[in-house]
Amino acid sequence: MRAPDDSARYATIHKDRGSFMVPPNLADYEAARATFTWEAARKGLSGLPRGRGLNIAHEAVDRHACSARANRVALRWLGKNGEHRDYSYRELALATNRFANALRSLGVNSGDNIFVLLGRVPELYVAILGALKMKCVASPLFSAFGPEPVVTRMDIGDARVLVTTEALYRRKVEGVRDRLPGLEHVILIDAAEAEGAHSWHGLTQAASDVFEIAPTDPQEPALLHFTSGTTGRPKGVIHVHEAVVTHYATGLYALDLHDDDRFWCTADPGWVTGTSYGVIAPLTHGVTNIVVEAEFDAPTWYGLLAQERVTVWYTAPTAIRMMMKLGVDVVKNYDLAALRFAASVGEPLNAEAVVWGVEAFGLPFHDNWWQTETGGIMIANFASMDIKPGSMGRPLPGVEAAIVKRGVDHEFEIIKASGEEGELALRSGWPSMMRGYLHEEARYQKCFVDGWYLTGDLARCDADGYYWFVGRADDVIKSSGHLIGPFEVESALMEHPAVSEAAVIGKPDPIAGEIVKAFVALKLGFVADEAMRKALLGHARKRLGAAVAPKDIEFRSNLPKTRSGKIMRRLLKARELGLPEGDLSTLESDER
Ligand code: AMP
């Protein structure tokens, strides 16, 4: 994934201090960097009563439920059929208490892993926050995943409880349940108590709405998110309760949340943005969090922005590019006067898209950068800061970033010269840094050198300290903002009886950033024709789900491999893009 370097074509967007609708929380970037401490940031939170530690659910819900914000709408849920449901902070506290008690009634213990496989429905939010109250580890899964990504993640994550719907259970879990011997309880939000499954309704109705969160060490695990690498199975990224300090601080500075905001994060909680910023950060600020169940549709989104008087909007490049395709005129049909701040994350945001925001909404999109491992926003275009369109912005106060180069023996040097490309690194020590890859200590340790966390992204830093995304250092694919591991896709293709070899790359796409493209060699006796292509696309879609499956398959009689037998995805990609093929000294077999 390489960012289009169209930076030079767009002038810096200067922020006129007189024009802010409300003064930004971070008024002066340099001053904030000089004085910021994580200890001070933590003072914005309240901690569990009587000094009993720090729990995300208390910061997000309970502390507001017993304050003047008790009756403010915490979650405003807008269903895909036009219905809506509001939960005040007090109601959210009671609902999450009930779910925490329901877990307790099942004999679930703190530290147990609770998986949630749901679309964006209120129960998803209640389940995550209720599980955190019980000090369980909450792991939301993307509901568009097929059975294979679901079972792989639940297996890695030692799932003890699954919260889902009857239809999702039947389609994605029932057939693979024998691969999950540790899965003890399935809770269905829309079904009656039945053999092998509990009813959400039955359990929560029988449960008390009074619950006291047990003392919580800030270092106790709270969230398990999955991310992908180039090789091997997905990585289970562990985050602890202390991560809430970053969620709060970035909500304050990078999203500029103010007390009376109406905030909408368009990401699904099955991906880290949808949890850190679609659930936790806005609630820690006591604002109204808008949850939209429906998938993207530009006019519907504009209608919702207007109808809900959204003030702060956090979205993603693929959606912005789809809006751009429809043109500015459509936007002008809606009254978006309440919208004050717009931000974007997840993939490179073209400079053109930043500027289009000004044309369409009267606001630039503020790009920011982070990843599952960092748990929260690390680099951002802050509200008060001039924007260089195409840049990810500057590091959060409290975060030290650098561009580094790794040597063959993994030693590394920090690049001082501005503008030179290298790997983006962050000095360890912010509260939401992952605490491990579940069951994979060696893989986790490999991310660190000399106290720096190496992100796997290539970037450069200019003379003003702005960071520019260059590309990934590895072969993972970003498609519509979703990180996809090639190995997971290749494994699913290899399961098909006709496939002898498979290699998967990200092919640039003007809307989705990249799409998944597979190169496949067939076993003897199988014919590489259109029917086979369709069969393989269908097979992958069924196993992996539409968000992960390849969109395109090309047949080859053989795939390029190194002498040690590793398929050279890099070479396939270079050829696909017409780029130089690079060092081919290790190439063993090759047939185009
Ligand atoms: P994930 O862990 O799924 O959130 O994906 C993180 C990866 O998405 C990063 O390592 C980057 O490769 C990419 N990414 C996230 N934000 C940006 C951004 N603002 N610009 C470019 N790439 C981004």
Side-chain angles (χ1 to χ4, degrees):
M1 180 172 40
R2 194 156 260 271
D5 197 359
D6 48 5
S7 49
R9 291 197 287 127
Y10 293 93
T12 300
I13 299 173
H14 294 284
K15 294 290 180 66
D16 170 6
R17 280 165 188 273
S19 72
F20 294 122
M21 283 160 79
V22 293
N25 292 323
L26 189 146
D28 179 337
Y29 177 78
E30 301 297 348
R33 267 202 89 75
T35 54
F36 181 93
T37 64
W38 286 110
E39 291 71 37
R42 195 175 163 147
K43 298 221 163 72
L45 300 169
S46 48
L48 285 170
R50 305 186 297 286
R52 298 187 317 149
L54 186 70
N55 184 296
I56 294 175
H58 176 80
E59 302 305 327
V61 185
D62 288 5
R63 69 174 180 141
H64 306 303
C66 53
S67 78
R69 292 188 180 116
N71 293 322
R72 175 181 290 179
V73 177
L75 278 186
R76 177 158 173 77
W77 175 75
L78 302 158
K80 57 183 169 206
N81 300 318
E83 67 274 47
H84 79 264
R85 222 189 291 170
D86 286 344
Y87 286 77
S88 68
Y89 276 95
R90 191 173 162 276
E91 286 162 340
L92 191 58
L94 299 179
T96 49
N97 284 351
R98 281 185 191 279
F99 185 65
N101 279 320
L103 288 175
R104 185 177 275 164
S105 73
L106 295 175
V108 170
N109 300 314
S110 72
D112 286 345
N113 293 349
I114 314 294
F115 278 70
V116 189
L117 177 68
L118 287 174
R120 291 180 296 279
V121 293
E123 289 83 352
L124 168 68
Y125 299 79
V126 173
I128 294 172
L129 294 162
L132 293 171
K133 284 189 167 180
M134 251 304 280
K135 302 210 300 171
C136 293
V137 179
S139 189
L141 289 180
F142 191 39
S143 62
F145 276 153
E148 204 51 46
V150 168
V151 72
T152 304
R153 285 158 179 77
M154 287 176 62
D155 177 35
I156 296 171
D158 311 316
R160 182 159 183 216
V161 176
L162 171 69
V163 182
T164 187
T165 64
E166 189 166 17
L168 288 171
Y169 179 74
R170 299 252 176 272
R171 285 212 309 272
K172 314 207 172 185
V173 186
E174 197 172 38
V176 289
R177 188 157 178 184
D178 57 344
R179 288 165 60 188
L180 300 167
L183 179 61
E184 236 177 282
H185 303 289
V186 172
I187 302 174
L188 301 177
I189 64 163
D190 56 354
E193 202 78 19
E195 176 80 28
H198 304 280
S199 140
W200 168 283
H201 192 72
L203 278 179
T204 53
Q205 284 312 301
S208 158
D209 62 11
V210 179
F211 185 89
E212 185 177 26
I213 299 174
T216 310
D217 183 325
Q219 300 310 320
E220 284 183 60
L223 299 162
L224 180 65
H225 284 293
F226 288 86
T227 190
S228 300
T230 301
T231 55
R233 302 214 297 170
K235 302 176 268 191
V237 177
I238 304 164
H239 287 292
V240 297
H241 281 274
E242 193 193 17
V244 71
V245 181
T246 308
H247 300 145
Y248 177 80
T250 49
L252 189 71
Y253 286 160
L255 299 176
D256 197 38
L257 291 176
H258 286 65
D259 188 48
D260 51 359
D261 271 326
R262 299 172 62 81
F263 174 75
W264 180 21
C265 168
T266 61
D268 188 281
W271 303 92
V272 72
T273 302
T275 302
S276 293
Y277 297 97
V279 186
I280 301 170
L283 298 181
T284 63
H285 284 269
V287 305
T288 293
N289 191 28
I290 314 275
V291 173
V292 175
E293 185 186 18
E295 293 309 325
F296 175 82
D297 168 70
T300 310
W301 275 26
Y302 300 147
L304 290 173
L305 285 168
Q307 171 197 310
E308 298 305 321
R309 290 172 290 106
V310 171
T311 53
V312 179
W313 184 29
Y314 194 22
T315 188
T318 295
I320 298 170
R321 289 190 287 262
M322 283 159 88
M323 290 184 247
M324 288 169 75
K325 245 178 103 176
L326 265 190
V328 178
D329 290 348
V330 190
V331 187
K332 303 294 174 200
N333 296 330
Y334 299 85
D335 175 6
L336 304 181
L339 192 61
R340 195 187 88 236
F341 188 76
S344 162
V345 73
E347 334 152 41
L349 182 67
N350 339 31
E352 198 187 345
V354 175
V355 176
W356 184 79
V358 181
E359 219 185 306
F361 302 100
L363 302 165
F365 284 102
H366 295 74
D367 188 19
N368 59 56
W369 176 96
W370 60 291
Q371 51 181 202
T372 307
E373 286 88 341
T374 70
I377 298 168
M378 295 285 108
I379 296 178
N381 285 283
F382 301 94
S384 59
M385 212 169 84
D386 292 346
I387 296 181
K388 298 191 187 191
S391 159
M392 307 187 290
R394 289 199 273 181
L396 184 79
V399 168
E400 190 183 345
I403 301 295
V404 305
K405 272 225 152 66
R406 285 203 241 193
V408 273
D409 292 324
H410 294 292
E411 79 285 4
F412 84 123
E413 92 183 93
I414 296 179
I415 298 172
K416 295 271 170 12
S418 75
E420 211 186 314
E421 286 179 19
E423 187 167 355
L424 176 62
L426 305 168
R427 195 187 278 288
S428 305
W430 67 95
S432 65
M433 180 60 203
M434 67 164 164
R435 296 305 197 271
Y437 289 134
L438 194 64
H439 310 312
E440 292 203 83
E441 182 59 19
R443 214 172 175 187
Y444 170 69
Q445 289 301 340
K446 262 173 79 178
C447 300
F448 299 91
V449 181
D450 287 353
W452 290 85
Y453 165 68
L454 303 171
T455 65
D457 277 2
L458 302 175
R460 63 189 169 82
C461 177
D462 70 17
D464 299 320
Y466 283 68
Y467 282 79
W468 300 75
F469 185 79
V470 171
R472 290 283 310 188
D474 57 17
D475 289 340
V476 295
I477 299 160
K478 254 290 159 110
S479 187
S480 300
H482 304 144
L483 199 72
I484 297 170
F487 183 76
E488 201 168 8
V489 182
E490 290 159 2
S491 305
L493 285 168
M494 294 291 291
E495 280 171 22
H496 192 280
V499 175
S500 105
E501 290 177 342
V504 163
I505 63 160
K507 178 180 164 181
D509 179 85
I511 299 290
E514 290 184 306
I515 57 155
V516 178
K517 172 162 184 181
F519 294 86
V520 167
L522 297 179
K523 287 182 187 153
L524 271 177
F526 290 94
V527 185
D529 58 9
E530 192 48 29
M532 176 61 78
R533 217 177 65 83
K534 282 204 179 112
L536 293 182
L537 287 171
H539 161 84
R541 218 180 143 93
K542 202 163 151 227
R543 306 289 291 163
L544 299 166
V548 182
K551 299 270 182 297
D552 188 7
I553 290 184
E554 190 175 318
F555 291 111
R556 296 283 171 99
S557 50
N558 191 7
L559 299 179
K561 284 191 262 331
T562 62
R563 282 193 203 112
S564 56
K566 266 175 76 177
I567 293 174
M568 295 177 83
R569 296 188 193 111
R570 174 180 63 78
L571 185 55
L572 286 165
K573 184 155 184 173
R575 286 176 181 165
E576 177 75 30
L577 306 188
L579 296 172
E581 297 190 352
D583 178 8
L584 297 183
S585 55
T586 60
L587 183 64
E588 170 76 10
S589 58
D590 185 19
E591 208 217 283
R592 299 207 200 176

